[in-house]
Amino acid sequence: MVKRSDGTLPALDLRYQKKNTTDVLFLGPSRIGLGISSDTLWEEYGIAGYVLWGSAQPLWNSYYLLIEALKTQSPKAVVLETCAAGYQYEYQDEERQIVNTCALQPGINRWN
């Protein structure tokens, strides 16, 4: 059982969000996962934000998470943290690849 809060849990928790309740969707690696507080956005600004992130998440991970999120959410804005564009690798270590993709729903998106 995966016991990490990054990667897996944000994608799993997305399944329990009511349809079309996200105003802003945030995607990216830990800089966005640890730097954005959806609680603060809601409490101080009334913005329903959702953060889909995983440690050292490359852009292709964010892409497939975005596809997954758009199956149930219609955000007004999507924020993509782009530091991953400067990574010197396309894939993370095997452990992070598993953590960052295992919560995708079974189907063509996960296969891709």
Side-chain angles (χ1 to χ4, degrees), residues 93-111:
D93 53 77
E94 186 175 344
E95 293 81 11
R96 286 189 177 140
Q97 287 184 54
I98 292 167
V99 166
N100 289 343
T101 60
C102 71
L104 292 171
Q105 294 279 6
I108 193 70
N109 188 45
R110 185 170 181 174
W111 178 262

Side-chain angles (χ1 to χ4, degrees), residues 11-65:
L12 284 174
D13 289 346
L14 181 67
R15 297 178 190 179
Y16 301 104
Q17 294 291 319
K18 291 182 181 178
K19 282 190 169 194
N20 299 320
T21 56
T22 299
D23 296 326
V24 182
L25 182 63
F26 298 90
L27 297 146
S30 56
R31 285 185 180 100
I32 204 153
L34 300 174
I36 300 292
S37 169
S38 56
D39 291 340
T40 301
L41 282 173
W42 178 253
E43 291 168 4
E44 294 186 15
Y45 304 102
I47 297 171
Y50 196 85
V51 185
L52 277 170
W53 70 285
S55 63
Q57 178 173 295
L59 291 175
W60 67 267
N61 267 143
S62 295
Y63 172 79
Y64 289 107
L65 286 169

Side-chain angles (χ1 to χ4, degrees), residues 62-79:
S62 295
Y63 172 79
Y64 289 107
L65 286 169
L66 176 61
I67 289 173
E68 196 76 23
L70 293 178
K71 291 177 183 178
T72 59
Q73 301 298 316
S74 298
K76 295 175 182 93
V78 174
V79 176

